[in-house]
Amino acid sequence: MTIVYLKRGKDQAERAEDDAKTRAVVEGTLKDIEVNGDAAVRNLSEKFDNYSPQSFKLSDQDVDDLMAQLSDRELADIKFAQEQVRNFAQAQRDTMLDLEVETLPGVILGHKNIPVQSVGCYVPGGKFPMVASAHMSVATASVAGVPRIVACTPPFKGKPNPAVIAAMHLGGAHEIYVMGGIQAIGAMALGTETIDPVHMLVGPGNAYVAEAKRQLFGRVGIDLFAGPTETMVIADETVDAEICATDLLGQAEHGYNSPCVMLTNSRKLAEETLTEIDRILKILPTADTASVSWEEYGEVIVCDTYEEMLAVADDIASEHVQVMTDRDDWFLENMTCYGALFLGPRTNVSNGDKVIGTNHTLPTKKAGRYTGGLWVGKFLKTHSYQKVLTDEAATMIGEYGSRLCLLEGFVGHAEQCNVRVRRYGGINVPYGEGAPFREAAE
């Protein structure tokens, strides 16, 4: 097995040091919000966003005024994208059925899918107004039937971004706040004097937002750890360097710490892609951001075989994986750890980010090893229930339960079963003893 790195990014020690600094900042900020509430939120907004409105919450009139600033074409494009997201989310929701089954005569077991009752949706927007993130969180929560959807987004260039606010409103947000970063996450999760806390936080964000969600997990639910964007291009010589370089840099422009990895079995393609990246960075308007990500987090890895490429890809577990090979479906069948796959050269990560309908809030930092991305099912809780309808079933299950409880030493548990055996079966089980075995109980 020969794996060659033509380019490496920051090593894990450096990345861990960055993470430690972020953790400390977030911990102190969340404590400030918990203690000082609205005052802390306002101070943080003034400090980081230079924004201090009379109210962070938008009124219906505020929303109408902002949406009026958009052209008919812009609104139509937002609605088209949102329709694709809703359609796919609804198709997914339709696969999630309530269940009720009689597992034994007189024994009914079931489950119900119940929406989370309040959700806080974070929509990034400080550097770029992430209109699509509103579809992915707010609209999907709406399809799930969440009765209270709170949406937060930072000001863009000192004021609310009309397109983001329109997407939030059209998506079904019940409350919209213009605030960003840790203060938005903390206010939604912890609550303040004017904001009721939510039960769950969702949405992507920068390293500070992702860390805030991590620290708050347990007090509230979260969708997943969706930190700085990651992308991987898996390619062979069926494609050229231009498309590979374009797909890598298209995600590198997200931020200064967006890992982008090329994985190939062609050294020629790898070297040509490195040259093409240098060319594109000279003309890309967002090169000031993309070049930093590429320099510090970009990697180019050359493998001998497709099997090696698969093994390396599953180990990295990247958020976005663009596959452009002579066997794209083979990767679909065999890859196990990733956020989302983009199969073939005709599609790309930006399709998923903005319009095609799959959700773009996806696991980062190897979280794809144990979870998929945000989807309608994340907003639903599957709760089980049971019913015993006959005396015979109550007696038979109770007899087994009695003996199994005592096997573990739980006398109080056993008596919960025994009292049913006595009442519904007419069997006099001595207190604290296991129910006798009966052939009829088989």
Side-chain angles (χ1 to χ4, degrees), residues 356-438:
I356 208 166
T358 53
N359 206 291
H360 79 193
T361 304
L362 300 166
T364 63
K365 293 192 173 182
K366 290 183 176 285
R369 294 174 300 171
Y370 58 83
T371 186
L374 182 61
W375 70 297
V376 69
K378 290 277 188 179
F379 297 102
L380 296 164
K381 308 171 294 165
T382 302
H383 295 276
S384 64
Y385 63 89
Q386 59 173 269
K387 295 185 282 187
V388 178
L389 303 182
T390 66
D391 292 350
E392 293 80 8
T395 303
M396 186 268 285
I397 290 291
E399 289 173 317
Y400 276 101
S402 169
R403 295 191 297 271
L404 289 167
C405 290
L406 288 175
L407 188 64
E408 297 179 357
F410 286 112
V411 177
H413 284 59
E415 278 302 308
Q416 289 182 270
C417 298
N418 285 343
V419 73
R420 271 81 184 175
V421 173
R422 297 182 193 114
R423 292 191 180 191
Y424 298 109
I427 300 171
N428 186 20
V429 182
Y431 186 88
E433 295 185 13
F437 173 75
R438 297 182 303 124

